[in-house]
Amino acid sequence: MPTGEKQIAALRLLLAEGNHEKSGDVVRAMDDPARRDLLGLVSATLLELADRKFEGADLPGAVIDWVAEFRATSTAAADALDPAAGEQVILLVLGMSDAADLDPRKSRDTQLFLVQALVHDLSLDAQEIDELLASAWKLVERSGK
Amino acid sequence: MQVDDLHVAYLRSQIAGEEQGALNALNALAPDQMTPLVTLVYEAFVLATRMWFGPGFTHGEVIRLVAAIRGLSTDDPDFVNPAAAESVIRRALGENAPLPPDPAARITAQFVLLDFLVRAMSLDDDGIDKLLDEARTRADRALAG
């Protein structure tokens, strides 16, 4: 299996099909290096999405507004996303924050949550998600060199 | 322990943006006089919050208000912790929202929100006097209880 295929498959199951169970199965079958690459793919995907969503926007105000609007849609969304963490993670990938006071586990969970939220927000279809993940994986490969 | 005129003078100066007046009042307060001041600020914040939202509110409105206030200070939006601010508003409106664990975050949120709401409601001197009088009555009752 070519490098990246498992990671892309796991994330694709989540983003394109909303299949948490199958995605979890793929992740559980990964060894530690493969899981590290998956985390890299999630970060790179978030970077791609945040770039698209906030390109040319007035920061950090636009990020504060977006996180608030997302959380304002329902109590479940409000409870699921910690506003300070959500803003910080987005601003971090956009190069406007630092990770000094962010718990690594919370950061990872928030990244994955935001990737799903932004894919939904941008109304990406299955083909666009495939293109997104392919582009994000190139970033992972580039950063690994 | 009761609210006295110095506490009210401090809060009135703070709301009016008169830094020197607020500082003078604060310096004149004995260290053991902080509890009535914190209680007065809290009661004024509760009253202003209830005036702003009226009898009905949604979590989305609370989230958007906090985001709007934080968006005004884009140099340092983290000055107000969004989760703490949302929580103190919901508690002021009678919900059993979790108490923000950090007292400093709670008090900062109350101060900033009170300041914003008084301006946003365009309260004149009479309106501010009425708010502070009622807050004082409520604070004295709370301190006596």
Side-chain angles (χ1 to χ4, degrees), chain A residues 11 15 41-55 90 93-94 111-124 128-129 132-133 136 139:
Chain A
L11 203 46
L15 299 179
L41 178 64
V42 172
S43 295
T45 306
L46 180 60
L47 172 61
E48 292 270 343
L49 289 165
D51 266 348
R52 289 185 203 185
K53 180 68 189 174
F54 299 105
E55 185 183 11
I90 294 173
V93 299
L94 294 172
Q111 281 191 8
L112 188 57
F113 188 88
L114 288 169
V115 163
Q116 295 171 81
L118 281 163
V119 162
H120 179 73
D121 180 86
L122 293 166
S123 304
L124 300 186
E128 288 168 325
I129 289 171
L132 168 74
L133 294 176
L139 278 179

PDB file of all heavy atoms in Angstrom, chain A residues 11 15 41-55 90 93-94 111-124 128-129 132-133 136 139:
ATOM      1  N   LEU A  11      -9.290   9.136   7.085  1.00  0.00           N
ATOM      2  CA  LEU A  11      -9.878  10.473   7.163  1.00  0.00           C
ATOM      3  C   LEU A  11     -11.023  10.629   6.156  1.00  0.00           C
ATOM      4  O   LEU A  11     -12.019  11.307   6.424  1.00  0.00           O
ATOM      5  CB  LEU A  11      -8.794  11.541   6.917  1.00  0.00           C
ATOM      6  CG  LEU A  11      -9.059  12.947   7.464  1.00  0.00           C
ATOM      7  CD1 LEU A  11      -9.569  12.926   8.897  1.00  0.00           C
ATOM      8  CD2 LEU A  11      -7.798  13.798   7.392  1.00  0.00           C
ATOM      9  N   LEU A  15     -14.763  12.031   6.716  1.00  0.00           N
ATOM     10  CA  LEU A  15     -15.197  13.300   6.111  1.00  0.00           C
ATOM     11  C   LEU A  15     -16.218  13.111   4.989  1.00  0.00           C
ATOM     12  O   LEU A  15     -17.160  13.886   4.870  1.00  0.00           O
ATOM     13  CB  LEU A  15     -13.978  14.064   5.562  1.00  0.00           C
ATOM     14  CG  LEU A  15     -12.914  14.450   6.593  1.00  0.00           C
ATOM     15  CD1 LEU A  15     -11.755  15.183   5.915  1.00  0.00           C
ATOM     16  CD2 LEU A  15     -13.501  15.307   7.696  1.00  0.00           C
ATOM     17  N   LEU A  41      -1.524  14.357   8.821  1.00  0.00           N
ATOM     18  CA  LEU A  41      -2.506  14.574   7.751  1.00  0.00           C
ATOM     19  C   LEU A  41      -3.671  15.434   8.251  1.00  0.00           C
ATOM     20  O   LEU A  41      -4.144  16.329   7.534  1.00  0.00           O
ATOM     21  CB  LEU A  41      -3.034  13.233   7.232  1.00  0.00           C
ATOM     22  CG  LEU A  41      -4.104  13.333   6.135  1.00  0.00           C
ATOM     23  CD1 LEU A  41      -3.533  13.992   4.874  1.00  0.00           C
ATOM     24  CD2 LEU A  41      -4.667  11.947   5.802  1.00  0.00           C
ATOM     25  N   VAL A  42      -4.101  15.187   9.473  1.00  0.00           N
ATOM     26  CA  VAL A  42      -5.203  15.988  10.039  1.00  0.00           C
ATOM     27  C   VAL A  42      -4.770  17.455  10.136  1.00  0.00           C
ATOM     28  O   VAL A  42      -5.508  18.370   9.740  1.00  0.00           O
ATOM     29  CB  VAL A  42      -5.622  15.448  11.423  1.00  0.00           C
ATOM     30  CG1 VAL A  42      -6.627  16.388  12.095  1.00  0.00           C
ATOM     31  CG2 VAL A  42      -6.219  14.060  11.298  1.00  0.00           C
ATOM     32  N   SER A  43      -3.539  17.681  10.626  1.00  0.00           N
ATOM     33  CA  SER A  43      -3.041  19.060  10.742  1.00  0.00           C
ATOM     34  C   SER A  43      -2.954  19.721   9.374  1.00  0.00           C
ATOM     35  O   SER A  43      -3.347  20.891   9.205  1.00  0.00           O
ATOM     36  CB  SER A  43      -1.652  19.076  11.391  1.00  0.00           C
ATOM     37  OG  SER A  43      -1.719  18.615  12.700  1.00  0.00           O
ATOM     38  N   ALA A  44      -2.421  18.970   8.398  1.00  0.00           N
ATOM     39  CA  ALA A  44      -2.261  19.534   7.054  1.00  0.00           C
ATOM     40  C   ALA A  44      -3.622  19.813   6.414  1.00  0.00           C
ATOM     41  O   ALA A  44      -3.799  20.816   5.711  1.00  0.00           O
ATOM     42  CB  ALA A  44      -1.455  18.573   6.184  1.00  0.00           C
ATOM     43  N   THR A  45      -4.583  18.946   6.674  1.00  0.00           N
ATOM     44  CA  THR A  45      -5.934  19.147   6.133  1.00  0.00           C
ATOM     45  C   THR A  45      -6.560  20.388   6.752  1.00  0.00           C
ATOM     46  O   THR A  45      -7.199  21.195   6.061  1.00  0.00           O
ATOM     47  CB  THR A  45      -6.817  17.906   6.414  1.00  0.00           C
ATOM     48  OG1 THR A  45      -6.155  16.750   5.904  1.00  0.00           O
ATOM     49  CG2 THR A  45      -8.170  18.029   5.756  1.00  0.00           C
ATOM     50  N   LEU A  46      -6.344  20.552   8.049  1.00  0.00           N
ATOM     51  CA  LEU A  46      -6.880  21.748   8.710  1.00  0.00           C
ATOM     52  C   LEU A  46      -6.227  23.008   8.136  1.00  0.00           C
ATOM     53  O   LEU A  46      -6.900  24.022   7.929  1.00  0.00           O
ATOM     54  CB  LEU A  46      -6.642  21.668  10.230  1.00  0.00           C
ATOM     55  CG  LEU A  46      -7.154  22.863  11.027  1.00  0.00           C
ATOM     56  CD1 LEU A  46      -8.668  23.040  10.856  1.00  0.00           C
ATOM     57  CD2 LEU A  46      -6.821  22.721  12.503  1.00  0.00           C
ATOM     58  N   LEU A  47      -4.932  22.925   7.877  1.00  0.00           N
ATOM     59  CA  LEU A  47      -4.239  24.076   7.293  1.00  0.00           C
ATOM     60  C   LEU A  47      -4.853  24.439   5.933  1.00  0.00           C
ATOM     61  O   LEU A  47      -5.141  25.614   5.663  1.00  0.00           O
ATOM     62  CB  LEU A  47      -2.749  23.762   7.143  1.00  0.00           C
ATOM     63  CG  LEU A  47      -1.908  24.786   6.371  1.00  0.00           C
ATOM     64  CD1 LEU A  47      -1.952  26.141   7.061  1.00  0.00           C
ATOM     65  CD2 LEU A  47      -0.465  24.311   6.261  1.00  0.00           C
ATOM     66  N   GLU A  48      -5.076  23.422   5.099  1.00  0.00           N
ATOM     67  CA  GLU A  48      -5.674  23.664   3.779  1.00  0.00           C
ATOM     68  C   GLU A  48      -7.061  24.296   3.919  1.00  0.00           C
ATOM     69  O   GLU A  48      -7.397  25.251   3.218  1.00  0.00           O
ATOM     70  CB  GLU A  48      -5.800  22.334   3.012  1.00  0.00           C
ATOM     71  CG  GLU A  48      -4.481  21.705   2.606  1.00  0.00           C
ATOM     72  CD  GLU A  48      -4.025  22.173   1.224  1.00  0.00           C
ATOM     73  OE1 GLU A  48      -4.872  22.715   0.489  1.00  0.00           O
ATOM     74  OE2 GLU A  48      -2.832  22.031   0.916  1.00  0.00           O
ATOM     75  N   LEU A  49      -7.850  23.742   4.816  1.00  0.00           N
ATOM     76  CA  LEU A  49      -9.220  24.238   4.991  1.00  0.00           C
ATOM     77  C   LEU A  49      -9.239  25.656   5.571  1.00  0.00           C
ATOM     78  O   LEU A  49     -10.018  26.512   5.114  1.00  0.00           O
ATOM     79  CB  LEU A  49      -9.994  23.296   5.918  1.00  0.00           C
ATOM     80  CG  LEU A  49     -10.347  21.927   5.328  1.00  0.00           C
ATOM     81  CD1 LEU A  49     -10.767  20.967   6.451  1.00  0.00           C
ATOM     82  CD2 LEU A  49     -11.472  22.056   4.306  1.00  0.00           C
ATOM     83  N   ALA A  50      -8.392  25.888   6.572  1.00  0.00           N
ATOM     84  CA  ALA A  50      -8.356  27.221   7.192  1.00  0.00           C
ATOM     85  C   ALA A  50      -7.874  28.256   6.184  1.00  0.00           C
ATOM     86  O   ALA A  50      -8.377  29.391   6.160  1.00  0.00           O
ATOM     87  CB  ALA A  50      -7.451  27.190   8.425  1.00  0.00           C
ATOM     88  N   ASP A  51      -6.921  27.873   5.364  1.00  0.00           N
ATOM     89  CA  ASP A  51      -6.449  28.781   4.307  1.00  0.00           C
ATOM     90  C   ASP A  51      -7.600  29.167   3.377  1.00  0.00           C
ATOM     91  O   ASP A  51      -7.757  30.322   3.002  1.00  0.00           O
ATOM     92  CB  ASP A  51      -5.346  28.113   3.488  1.00  0.00           C
ATOM     93  CG  ASP A  51      -3.969  28.481   4.020  1.00  0.00           C
ATOM     94  OD1 ASP A  51      -3.887  29.405   4.856  1.00  0.00           O
ATOM     95  OD2 ASP A  51      -2.991  27.846   3.595  1.00  0.00           O
ATOM     96  N   ARG A  52      -8.378  28.175   2.970  1.00  0.00           N
ATOM     97  CA  ARG A  52      -9.504  28.448   2.066  1.00  0.00           C
ATOM     98  C   ARG A  52     -10.555  29.324   2.740  1.00  0.00           C
ATOM     99  O   ARG A  52     -11.070  30.270   2.151  1.00  0.00           O
ATOM    100  CB  ARG A  52     -10.186  27.139   1.645  1.00  0.00           C
ATOM    101  CG  ARG A  52      -9.365  26.308   0.715  1.00  0.00           C
ATOM    102  CD  ARG A  52     -10.163  25.096   0.267  1.00  0.00           C
ATOM    103  NE  ARG A  52      -9.250  24.042  -0.163  1.00  0.00           N
ATOM    104  CZ  ARG A  52      -9.646  22.898  -0.688  1.00  0.00           C
ATOM    105  NH1 ARG A  52     -10.937  22.660  -0.835  1.00  0.00           N
ATOM    106  NH2 ARG A  52      -8.761  21.987  -1.044  1.00  0.00           N
ATOM    107  N   LYS A  53     -10.876  28.961   3.983  1.00  0.00           N
ATOM    108  CA  LYS A  53     -11.965  29.650   4.679  1.00  0.00           C
ATOM    109  C   LYS A  53     -11.587  31.094   5.040  1.00  0.00           C
ATOM    110  O   LYS A  53     -12.424  32.002   4.944  1.00  0.00           O
ATOM    111  CB  LYS A  53     -12.329  28.866   5.956  1.00  0.00           C
ATOM    112  CG  LYS A  53     -13.451  29.478   6.776  1.00  0.00           C
ATOM    113  CD  LYS A  53     -14.781  29.404   6.058  1.00  0.00           C
ATOM    114  CE  LYS A  53     -15.861  30.196   6.762  1.00  0.00           C
ATOM    115  NZ  LYS A  53     -17.114  30.230   5.989  1.00  0.00           N
ATOM    116  N   PHE A  54     -10.356  31.290   5.464  1.00  0.00           N
ATOM    117  CA  PHE A  54      -9.998  32.596   6.032  1.00  0.00           C
ATOM    118  C   PHE A  54      -9.036  33.400   5.153  1.00  0.00           C
ATOM    119  O   PHE A  54      -8.487  34.391   5.621  1.00  0.00           O
ATOM    120  CB  PHE A  54      -9.426  32.404   7.443  1.00  0.00           C
ATOM    121  CG  PHE A  54     -10.400  31.779   8.395  1.00  0.00           C
ATOM    122  CD1 PHE A  54     -10.267  30.447   8.779  1.00  0.00           C
ATOM    123  CD2 PHE A  54     -11.483  32.497   8.876  1.00  0.00           C
ATOM    124  CE1 PHE A  54     -11.180  29.857   9.639  1.00  0.00           C
ATOM    125  CE2 PHE A  54     -12.400  31.907   9.731  1.00  0.00           C
ATOM    126  CZ  PHE A  54     -12.253  30.590  10.119  1.00  0.00           C
ATOM    127  N   GLU A  55      -8.855  32.979   3.912  1.00  0.00           N
ATOM    128  CA  GLU A  55      -7.963  33.712   3.015  1.00  0.00           C
ATOM    129  C   GLU A  55      -8.464  35.154   2.867  1.00  0.00           C
ATOM    130  O   GLU A  55      -9.619  35.399   2.510  1.00  0.00           O
ATOM    131  CB  GLU A  55      -7.918  33.037   1.639  1.00  0.00           C
ATOM    132  CG  GLU A  55      -6.908  33.697   0.715  1.00  0.00           C
ATOM    133  CD  GLU A  55      -6.914  33.058  -0.671  1.00  0.00           C
ATOM    134  OE1 GLU A  55      -7.839  32.269  -0.953  1.00  0.00           O
ATOM    135  OE2 GLU A  55      -5.984  33.344  -1.436  1.00  0.00           O
ATOM    136  N   ILE A  90      -7.066  27.100  15.124  1.00  0.00           N
ATOM    137  CA  ILE A  90      -7.144  27.673  13.768  1.00  0.00           C
ATOM    138  C   ILE A  90      -6.060  28.737  13.581  1.00  0.00           C
ATOM    139  O   ILE A  90      -5.344  28.748  12.571  1.00  0.00           O
ATOM    140  CB  ILE A  90      -8.539  28.272  13.498  1.00  0.00           C
ATOM    141  CG1 ILE A  90      -9.597  27.169  13.472  1.00  0.00           C
ATOM    142  CG2 ILE A  90      -8.551  29.015  12.161  1.00  0.00           C
ATOM    143  CD1 ILE A  90     -11.035  27.684  13.378  1.00  0.00           C
ATOM    144  N   VAL A  93      -2.579  27.199  13.031  1.00  0.00           N
ATOM    145  CA  VAL A  93      -2.229  26.708  11.686  1.00  0.00           C
ATOM    146  C   VAL A  93      -2.101  27.869  10.700  1.00  0.00           C
ATOM    147  O   VAL A  93      -1.416  27.754   9.685  1.00  0.00           O
ATOM    148  CB  VAL A  93      -3.233  25.652  11.130  1.00  0.00           C
ATOM    149  CG1 VAL A  93      -3.274  24.428  12.001  1.00  0.00           C
ATOM    150  CG2 VAL A  93      -4.620  26.227  10.917  1.00  0.00           C
ATOM    151  N   LEU A  94      -2.738  28.989  11.028  1.00  0.00           N
ATOM    152  CA  LEU A  94      -2.609  30.167  10.159  1.00  0.00           C
ATOM    153  C   LEU A  94      -1.384  31.013  10.531  1.00  0.00           C
ATOM    154  O   LEU A  94      -1.161  32.072   9.962  1.00  0.00           O
ATOM    155  CB  LEU A  94      -3.875  31.032  10.242  1.00  0.00           C
ATOM    156  CG  LEU A  94      -5.153  30.396   9.678  1.00  0.00           C
ATOM    157  CD1 LEU A  94      -6.371  31.266   9.986  1.00  0.00           C
ATOM    158  CD2 LEU A  94      -5.027  30.183   8.168  1.00  0.00           C
ATOM    159  N   GLN A 111      -8.451  19.725  16.485  1.00  0.00           N
ATOM    160  CA  GLN A 111      -8.119  19.741  15.044  1.00  0.00           C
ATOM    161  C   GLN A 111      -9.072  18.842  14.262  1.00  0.00           C
ATOM    162  O   GLN A 111      -9.612  19.249  13.228  1.00  0.00           O
ATOM    163  CB  GLN A 111      -6.684  19.250  14.840  1.00  0.00           C
ATOM    164  CG  GLN A 111      -5.630  20.291  15.129  1.00  0.00           C
ATOM    165  CD  GLN A 111      -4.257  19.835  14.661  1.00  0.00           C
ATOM    166  OE1 GLN A 111      -4.110  18.826  13.998  1.00  0.00           O
ATOM    167  NE2 GLN A 111      -3.250  20.600  15.034  1.00  0.00           N
ATOM    168  N   LEU A 112      -9.255  17.632  14.763  1.00  0.00           N
ATOM    169  CA  LEU A 112     -10.108  16.683  14.042  1.00  0.00           C
ATOM    170  C   LEU A 112     -11.552  17.195  13.981  1.00  0.00           C
ATOM    171  O   LEU A 112     -12.219  17.094  12.947  1.00  0.00           O
ATOM    172  CB  LEU A 112     -10.063  15.313  14.733  1.00  0.00           C
ATOM    173  CG  LEU A 112     -10.750  14.167  13.992  1.00  0.00           C
ATOM    174  CD1 LEU A 112     -10.170  13.991  12.592  1.00  0.00           C
ATOM    175  CD2 LEU A 112     -10.615  12.859  14.778  1.00  0.00           C
ATOM    176  N   PHE A 113     -12.006  17.768  15.074  1.00  0.00           N
ATOM    177  CA  PHE A 113     -13.357  18.316  15.109  1.00  0.00           C
ATOM    178  C   PHE A 113     -13.503  19.460  14.104  1.00  0.00           C
ATOM    179  O   PHE A 113     -14.475  19.544  13.346  1.00  0.00           O
ATOM    180  CB  PHE A 113     -13.667  18.815  16.527  1.00  0.00           C
ATOM    181  CG  PHE A 113     -15.096  19.228  16.722  1.00  0.00           C
ATOM    182  CD1 PHE A 113     -16.055  18.314  17.112  1.00  0.00           C
ATOM    183  CD2 PHE A 113     -15.485  20.532  16.481  1.00  0.00           C
ATOM    184  CE1 PHE A 113     -17.376  18.688  17.269  1.00  0.00           C
ATOM    185  CE2 PHE A 113     -16.803  20.927  16.638  1.00  0.00           C
ATOM    186  CZ  PHE A 113     -17.750  20.000  17.034  1.00  0.00           C
ATOM    187  N   LEU A 114     -12.497  20.337  14.083  1.00  0.00           N
ATOM    188  CA  LEU A 114     -12.559  21.502  13.189  1.00  0.00           C
ATOM    189  C   LEU A 114     -12.482  21.096  11.719  1.00  0.00           C
ATOM    190  O   LEU A 114     -13.116  21.728  10.864  1.00  0.00           O
ATOM    191  CB  LEU A 114     -11.423  22.478  13.523  1.00  0.00           C
ATOM    192  CG  LEU A 114     -11.591  23.256  14.834  1.00  0.00           C
ATOM    193  CD1 LEU A 114     -10.296  23.983  15.188  1.00  0.00           C
ATOM    194  CD2 LEU A 114     -12.737  24.258  14.725  1.00  0.00           C
ATOM    195  N   VAL A 115     -11.701  20.066  11.421  1.00  0.00           N
ATOM    196  CA  VAL A 115     -11.630  19.583  10.035  1.00  0.00           C
ATOM    197  C   VAL A 115     -13.025  19.169   9.569  1.00  0.00           C
ATOM    198  O   VAL A 115     -13.471  19.546   8.476  1.00  0.00           O
ATOM    199  CB  VAL A 115     -10.632  18.403   9.928  1.00  0.00           C
ATOM    200  CG1 VAL A 115     -10.847  17.631   8.636  1.00  0.00           C
ATOM    201  CG2 VAL A 115      -9.197  18.921   9.994  1.00  0.00           C
ATOM    202  N   GLN A 116     -13.727  18.441  10.401  1.00  0.00           N
ATOM    203  CA  GLN A 116     -15.090  18.011  10.033  1.00  0.00           C
ATOM    204  C   GLN A 116     -16.027  19.217   9.906  1.00  0.00           C
ATOM    205  O   GLN A 116     -16.827  19.295   8.975  1.00  0.00           O
ATOM    206  CB  GLN A 116     -15.625  17.037  11.084  1.00  0.00           C
ATOM    207  CG  GLN A 116     -14.837  15.735  11.144  1.00  0.00           C
ATOM    208  CD  GLN A 116     -15.242  14.884  12.336  1.00  0.00           C
ATOM    209  OE1 GLN A 116     -16.232  14.178  12.295  1.00  0.00           O
ATOM    210  NE2 GLN A 116     -14.475  14.952  13.412  1.00  0.00           N
ATOM    211  N   ALA A 117     -15.886  20.154  10.841  1.00  0.00           N
ATOM    212  CA  ALA A 117     -16.766  21.332  10.817  1.00  0.00           C
ATOM    213  C   ALA A 117     -16.516  22.186   9.570  1.00  0.00           C
ATOM    214  O   ALA A 117     -17.457  22.681   8.940  1.00  0.00           O
ATOM    215  CB  ALA A 117     -16.546  22.162  12.084  1.00  0.00           C
ATOM    216  N   LEU A 118     -15.254  22.349   9.219  1.00  0.00           N
ATOM    217  CA  LEU A 118     -14.929  23.191   8.055  1.00  0.00           C
ATOM    218  C   LEU A 118     -15.321  22.513   6.742  1.00  0.00           C
ATOM    219  O   LEU A 118     -15.764  23.184   5.805  1.00  0.00           O
ATOM    220  CB  LEU A 118     -13.436  23.536   8.060  1.00  0.00           C
ATOM    221  CG  LEU A 118     -13.044  24.670   9.018  1.00  0.00           C
ATOM    222  CD1 LEU A 118     -11.540  24.685   9.274  1.00  0.00           C
ATOM    223  CD2 LEU A 118     -13.501  26.026   8.477  1.00  0.00           C
ATOM    224  N   VAL A 119     -15.157  21.196   6.660  1.00  0.00           N
ATOM    225  CA  VAL A 119     -15.600  20.473   5.461  1.00  0.00           C
ATOM    226  C   VAL A 119     -17.101  20.662   5.274  1.00  0.00           C
ATOM    227  O   VAL A 119     -17.582  20.922   4.170  1.00  0.00           O
ATOM    228  CB  VAL A 119     -15.242  18.971   5.560  1.00  0.00           C
ATOM    229  CG1 VAL A 119     -16.048  18.137   4.571  1.00  0.00           C
ATOM    230  CG2 VAL A 119     -13.751  18.771   5.318  1.00  0.00           C
ATOM    231  N   HIS A 120     -17.820  20.578   6.388  1.00  0.00           N
ATOM    232  CA  HIS A 120     -19.267  20.792   6.330  1.00  0.00           C
ATOM    233  C   HIS A 120     -19.575  22.235   5.930  1.00  0.00           C
ATOM    234  O   HIS A 120     -20.414  22.501   5.070  1.00  0.00           O
ATOM    235  CB  HIS A 120     -19.881  20.461   7.690  1.00  0.00           C
ATOM    236  CG  HIS A 120     -21.355  20.679   7.748  1.00  0.00           C
ATOM    237  ND1 HIS A 120     -22.257  19.849   7.134  1.00  0.00           N
ATOM    238  CD2 HIS A 120     -22.087  21.671   8.323  1.00  0.00           C
ATOM    239  CE1 HIS A 120     -23.481  20.306   7.336  1.00  0.00           C
ATOM    240  NE2 HIS A 120     -23.401  21.407   8.044  1.00  0.00           N
ATOM    241  N   ASP A 121     -18.864  23.168   6.560  1.00  0.00           N
ATOM    242  CA  ASP A 121     -19.103  24.594   6.307  1.00  0.00           C
ATOM    243  C   ASP A 121     -18.831  24.953   4.842  1.00  0.00           C
ATOM    244  O   ASP A 121     -19.553  25.750   4.243  1.00  0.00           O
ATOM    245  CB  ASP A 121     -18.201  25.424   7.232  1.00  0.00           C
ATOM    246  CG  ASP A 121     -18.384  26.912   7.037  1.00  0.00           C
ATOM    247  OD1 ASP A 121     -19.289  27.464   7.671  1.00  0.00           O
ATOM    248  OD2 ASP A 121     -17.630  27.520   6.246  1.00  0.00           O
ATOM    249  N   LEU A 122     -17.788  24.365   4.281  1.00  0.00           N
ATOM    250  CA  LEU A 122     -17.423  24.678   2.899  1.00  0.00           C
ATOM    251  C   LEU A 122     -18.204  23.831   1.888  1.00  0.00           C
ATOM    252  O   LEU A 122     -18.005  23.969   0.677  1.00  0.00           O
ATOM    253  CB  LEU A 122     -15.908  24.473   2.698  1.00  0.00           C
ATOM    254  CG  LEU A 122     -15.016  25.469   3.472  1.00  0.00           C
ATOM    255  CD1 LEU A 122     -13.560  24.990   3.501  1.00  0.00           C
ATOM    256  CD2 LEU A 122     -15.088  26.854   2.854  1.00  0.00           C
ATOM    257  N   SER A 123     -19.060  22.953   2.405  1.00  0.00           N
ATOM    258  CA  SER A 123     -19.911  22.088   1.560  1.00  0.00           C
ATOM    259  C   SER A 123     -19.094  21.326   0.514  1.00  0.00           C
ATOM    260  O   SER A 123     -19.459  21.305  -0.673  1.00  0.00           O
ATOM    261  CB  SER A 123     -20.990  22.928   0.855  1.00  0.00           C
ATOM    262  OG  SER A 123     -21.748  23.641   1.777  1.00  0.00           O
ATOM    263  N   LEU A 124     -18.014  20.713   0.948  1.00  0.00           N
ATOM    264  CA  LEU A 124     -17.178  19.969   0.002  1.00  0.00           C
ATOM    265  C   LEU A 124     -17.845  18.639  -0.345  1.00  0.00           C
ATOM    266  O   LEU A 124     -18.333  17.939   0.545  1.00  0.00           O
ATOM    267  CB  LEU A 124     -15.792  19.698   0.606  1.00  0.00           C
ATOM    268  CG  LEU A 124     -14.957  20.923   1.004  1.00  0.00           C
ATOM    269  CD1 LEU A 124     -13.554  20.491   1.446  1.00  0.00           C
ATOM    270  CD2 LEU A 124     -14.854  21.932  -0.138  1.00  0.00           C
ATOM    271  N   GLU A 128     -14.151  16.697  -4.017  1.00  0.00           N
ATOM    272  CA  GLU A 128     -13.374  17.808  -3.436  1.00  0.00           C
ATOM    273  C   GLU A 128     -12.644  17.366  -2.171  1.00  0.00           C
ATOM    274  O   GLU A 128     -11.529  17.834  -1.887  1.00  0.00           O
ATOM    275  CB  GLU A 128     -14.311  18.987  -3.142  1.00  0.00           C
ATOM    276  CG  GLU A 128     -14.791  19.693  -4.401  1.00  0.00           C
ATOM    277  CD  GLU A 128     -15.930  20.677  -4.138  1.00  0.00           C
ATOM    278  OE1 GLU A 128     -16.781  20.392  -3.262  1.00  0.00           O
ATOM    279  OE2 GLU A 128     -15.968  21.708  -4.824  1.00  0.00           O
ATOM    280  N   ILE A 129     -13.270  16.453  -1.426  1.00  0.00           N
ATOM    281  CA  ILE A 129     -12.603  15.928  -0.224  1.00  0.00           C
ATOM    282  C   ILE A 129     -11.383  15.100  -0.637  1.00  0.00           C
ATOM    283  O   ILE A 129     -10.316  15.192  -0.026  1.00  0.00           O
ATOM    284  CB  ILE A 129     -13.595  15.099   0.627  1.00  0.00           C
ATOM    285  CG1 ILE A 129     -14.609  16.044   1.278  1.00  0.00           C
ATOM    286  CG2 ILE A 129     -12.869  14.283   1.692  1.00  0.00           C
ATOM    287  CD1 ILE A 129     -15.767  15.351   1.960  1.00  0.00           C
ATOM    288  N   LEU A 132      -8.749  17.493  -1.571  1.00  0.00           N
ATOM    289  CA  LEU A 132      -8.250  18.128  -0.346  1.00  0.00           C
ATOM    290  C   LEU A 132      -7.248  17.222   0.360  1.00  0.00           C
ATOM    291  O   LEU A 132      -6.155  17.667   0.758  1.00  0.00           O
ATOM    292  CB  LEU A 132      -9.433  18.424   0.587  1.00  0.00           C
ATOM    293  CG  LEU A 132      -9.107  18.816   2.025  1.00  0.00           C
ATOM    294  CD1 LEU A 132      -8.576  20.241   2.079  1.00  0.00           C
ATOM    295  CD2 LEU A 132     -10.343  18.692   2.920  1.00  0.00           C
ATOM    296  N   LEU A 133      -7.623  15.960   0.528  1.00  0.00           N
ATOM    297  CA  LEU A 133      -6.752  15.030   1.259  1.00  0.00           C
ATOM    298  C   LEU A 133      -5.463  14.756   0.494  1.00  0.00           C
ATOM    299  O   LEU A 133      -4.388  14.628   1.098  1.00  0.00           O
ATOM    300  CB  LEU A 133      -7.509  13.726   1.553  1.00  0.00           C
ATOM    301  CG  LEU A 133      -8.697  13.870   2.515  1.00  0.00           C
ATOM    302  CD1 LEU A 133      -9.447  12.558   2.668  1.00  0.00           C
ATOM    303  CD2 LEU A 133      -8.229  14.377   3.884  1.00  0.00           C
ATOM    304  N   ALA A 136      -3.344  17.745   1.034  1.00  0.00           N
ATOM    305  CA  ALA A 136      -2.842  17.768   2.408  1.00  0.00           C
ATOM    306  C   ALA A 136      -1.726  16.741   2.592  1.00  0.00           C
ATOM    307  O   ALA A 136      -0.735  16.999   3.282  1.00  0.00           O
ATOM    308  CB  ALA A 136      -3.988  17.489   3.386  1.00  0.00           C
ATOM    309  N   LEU A 139       1.536  17.982   1.605  1.00  0.00           N
ATOM    310  CA  LEU A 139       2.129  18.833   2.648  1.00  0.00           C
ATOM    311  C   LEU A 139       2.838  17.975   3.695  1.00  0.00           C
ATOM    312  O   LEU A 139       3.918  18.331   4.175  1.00  0.00           O
ATOM    313  CB  LEU A 139       1.039  19.654   3.355  1.00  0.00           C
ATOM    314  CG  LEU A 139       0.558  20.940   2.693  1.00  0.00           C
ATOM    315  CD1 LEU A 139      -0.536  21.565   3.566  1.00  0.00           C
ATOM    316  CD2 LEU A 139       1.698  21.933   2.547  1.00  0.00           C
TER     317      LEU A 139
END
